[in-house]
Amino acid sequence: MGWKKFGMMFLALILIFTMAACSDESESASGKKVDKNTSATLTVWIHPYVNQELKDKQNEVFDNMAASFKKKYPNVKVKFEEIPWANREQKILTALAANQGPDVFYLIPDIMAQFADQGVLTPITDLLGDDWDKEDFEQSSIDAVTYKDEIYGLPLLREVQTYMYNTKILEEIGADPNDLPETWEEFDQLAQKAKDKGYFARSFEGANTANATLYPLVWQSGGEVISKDGKVKINNKDGVEAFERINKWYKEGFIPKDSINTLEHFTPFVEGKILAVWGSGGTIAALREKGFNDYVIGPPLKQEKMATFGTTGMFVVPTTSKNKELAAQLVKEMTNKESSEAFNELAKFIPARKSATSIYDGDKDMAKMTEYVQYANPGVIHPVARVVMPKIQAELQAMMEGTKSPKEAADAVAKAIEEEMGK
């Protein structure tokens, strides 16, 4: 579905939603008071966070969350329903507009800002009470679930994306796996050596979101996409430098020719055709599943500063829930220390709670990822962040195809963002 068409559909849905919300205004403001005798059914929408082989274990983790919650609220039934990742935004918005959505669902920061701005999320700042151990969450995680000074969810997971290098190729090109690149210049020197031996330097999945392609380079260059005061910055000097770096990699053959529009470079990395794959904890799990051990994890790069992308996954409460306070209590249970440990150890994410990160004390790879999470930015927290993603992809593709210069592509992206802000 095109974004313009979706935008028209969404406006229609919002009109329906607004009428439904207005009929229940007092409840929307505070939710229902709850105690241990409260009776209700809460529906939670989740996603496939692991592969099919681990699905039963994922179900067990969520069932345990429900069982723990039921000890506090024995008359409450918790139903978990899994929806696919694809088109999840449209599915959620459509369900909420029809007043048929869940009581709790999963979001990431850039979608959270969009949904909060559209009025479909309940701020849970006051619903949480005083016993949710705020000090146990990393401040960056709290920032990632906050929009306009209101907390809209509690974080369960954090992610960090970085480079994983093929150790056999490193050995062949005379590189030290214990002294991996930290700067753009150092990486490009290694990339040239890999290219000279017939390898690509790194994966670049151009059809992926800008979170995984462009934005890390913008931040590493010292730039911003949108400033905190709402100014578009992506086409300033630092932003253009990021476009130029991607263009350089493509023109010089450091990244594969299909980098313009591919979604998958994991296979060629495993096949020994690419020096480094850009990945996360999920990539480590996939490498282990394949029995691929010839890799080492390198740090995110820097130009002006070390930075990368890593989402923060949270559970939120929609304004359509008839049991908002109870749903907020369930969110607390689903993101407590025990839940965080069980979920993240299975799915290979990094806990948002400080007290839960010890799950990786005996796992050198995930301990390294936990070390790098301090450099991870959860994305652009702004209502238009997700809407402009297709335009950014299109402009990167135009640049790599040679029809636009890096500056022209950056200016076009800035214009698209400004136009969305003006709607």
Side-chain angles (χ1 to χ4, degrees):
M1 179 185 297
W3 282 104
K4 289 185 177 179
K5 184 177 179 181
F6 174 64
M8 294 177 66
M9 182 192 80
F10 178 75
L11 287 175
L13 293 176
I14 285 296
L15 289 175
I16 299 172
F17 169 78
T18 301
M19 293 174 64
C22 288
S23 67
D24 196 23
E25 183 175 352
S26 62
E27 189 171 281
S28 296
S30 62
K32 296 178 179 178
K33 297 297 182 182
V34 298
D35 57 37
K36 65 179 182 179
N37 297 316
T38 300
S39 178
T41 296
L42 297 179
T43 301
V44 183
W45 279 6
I46 58 175
H47 300 287
Y49 304 96
V50 297
N51 59 32
Q52 192 62 38
E53 288 73 19
L54 294 175
K55 185 60 66 67
D56 288 344
K57 291 185 177 180
Q58 175 179 298
N59 292 340
E60 181 181 344
V61 168
F62 285 113
D63 287 345
N64 288 340
M65 292 179 185
S68 178
F69 188 69
K70 197 169 183 66
K71 291 178 182 178
K72 299 177 181 179
Y73 301 97
N75 298 322
V76 175
K77 180 180 180 180
V78 179
K79 292 171 50 181
F80 289 99
E81 297 178 359
E82 185 175 290
I83 65 171
W85 293 107
N87 301 315
R88 64 192 185 277
E89 296 160 59
Q90 295 94 317
K91 180 178 179 64
I92 292 169
L93 288 173
T94 301
L96 296 182
N99 206 24
Q100 297 176 348
D103 296 282
V104 173
F105 62 97
Y106 177 87
L107 277 185
I108 58 176
D110 51 6
I111 306 180
M112 178 272 293
Q114 176 188 350
F115 280 20
D117 196 64
Q118 293 164 350
V120 299
L121 296 185
T122 298
I124 62 172
T125 312
D126 296 331
L127 299 181
L128 290 172
D130 299 323
D131 60 342
W132 58 283
D133 299 328
K134 180 177 181 180
E135 68 281 356
D136 193 31
F137 290 95
E138 295 287 353
Q139 185 58 47
S140 59
S141 296
I142 297 300
D143 292 342
V145 301
T146 302
Y147 179 67
K148 292 185 176 179
D149 299 323
E150 289 280 7
I151 294 174
Y152 280 93
L154 286 184
L156 176 65
L157 65 91
R158 293 179 295 166
E159 177 200 42
V160 59
Q161 297 185 4
T162 191
Y163 293 96
M164 297 164 201
Y165 295 83
N166 184 309
T167 51
K168 288 187 175 179
I169 298 177
L170 286 173
E171 180 180 359
E172 184 179 347
I173 64 178
D176 184 354
N178 296 310
D179 186 23
L180 295 168
E182 292 187 355
T183 68
W184 288 8
E185 182 180 358
E186 290 170 354
F187 180 83
D188 284 1
Q189 290 172 355
L190 202 63
Q192 186 62 56
K193 291 180 180 179
K195 180 189 173 185
D196 291 344
K197 290 289 187 177
Y199 302 106
F200 294 109
R202 62 154 287 178
S203 62
F204 190 89
E205 297 162 346
N208 213 324
T209 69
N211 287 327
T213 56
L214 175 66
Y215 290 172
L217 295 169
V218 172
W219 299 323
Q220 289 165 13
S221 184
E224 297 177 279
V225 179
I226 302 172
S227 65
K228 290 184 178 180
D229 60 354
K231 299 294 192 301
V232 179
K233 300 288 188 178
I234 196 168
N235 62 333
N236 66 9
K237 177 181 177 295
D238 297 326
V240 172
E241 191 173 24
F243 282 84
E244 291 172 342
R245 185 62 47 159
I246 294 171
N247 201 47
K248 167 185 168 69
W249 286 345
Y250 188 70
K251 301 305 181 187
E252 296 189 6
F254 290 173
I255 57 179
K257 286 295 181 184
D258 66 352
S259 295
I260 292 177
N261 53 21
T262 189
L263 269 172
E264 204 273 315
H265 276 160
F266 177 78
T267 298
F269 174 75
V270 173
E271 292 173 345
K273 298 176 182 178
I274 300 178
L275 170 63
V277 67
W278 181 254
S280 63
T283 309
I284 293 172
L287 290 171
R288 291 173 176 176
E289 181 183 347
K290 289 184 173 293
F292 186 90
N293 300 311
D294 300 319
Y295 70 92
V296 63
I297 299 170
L301 299 180
K302 64 181 178 181
Q303 179 72 338
E304 292 297 323
K305 65 178 182 178
M306 190 171 287
T308 187
F309 170 73
T311 195
T312 296
M314 72 191 81
F315 284 102
V316 300
V317 178
T319 52
T320 52
S321 173
K322 303 300 182 185
N323 297 283
K324 295 179 183 62
E325 290 197 1
L326 194 61
Q329 297 307 306
L330 177 58
V331 168
K332 286 201 305 188
E333 193 72 27
M334 293 178 66
T335 57
N336 68 19
K337 180 177 182 292
E338 292 75 19
S339 298
S340 184
E341 288 175 335
F343 175 86
N344 287 288
E345 188 168 17
L346 175 67
K348 292 296 178 285
F349 290 105
I350 299 161
R353 284 186 174 273
K354 302 172 188 176
S355 61
T357 57
S358 60
I359 59 174
Y360 294 132
D361 285 351
D363 186 331
K364 66 179 181 63
D365 290 339
M366 289 306 299
K368 180 66 70 174
M369 299 297 276
T370 302
E371 174 189 341
Y372 291 152
V373 77
Q374 64 182 299
Y375 304 114
N377 189 318
V380 179
I381 303 179
H382 192 282
V384 306
R386 298 296 291 191
V387 179
V388 299
M389 286 290 190
K391 182 64 175 178
I392 295 173
Q393 291 166 334
E395 294 302 329
L396 281 175
Q397 289 168 0
M399 177 190 72
M400 294 162 76
E401 289 169 346
T403 59
K404 286 189 176 181
S405 70
K407 182 65 166 66
E408 290 171 338
D411 286 341
V413 167
K415 181 179 179 181
I417 295 174
E418 290 169 347
E419 288 176 348
E420 286 297 331
M421 286 178 169
K423 291 182 179 178

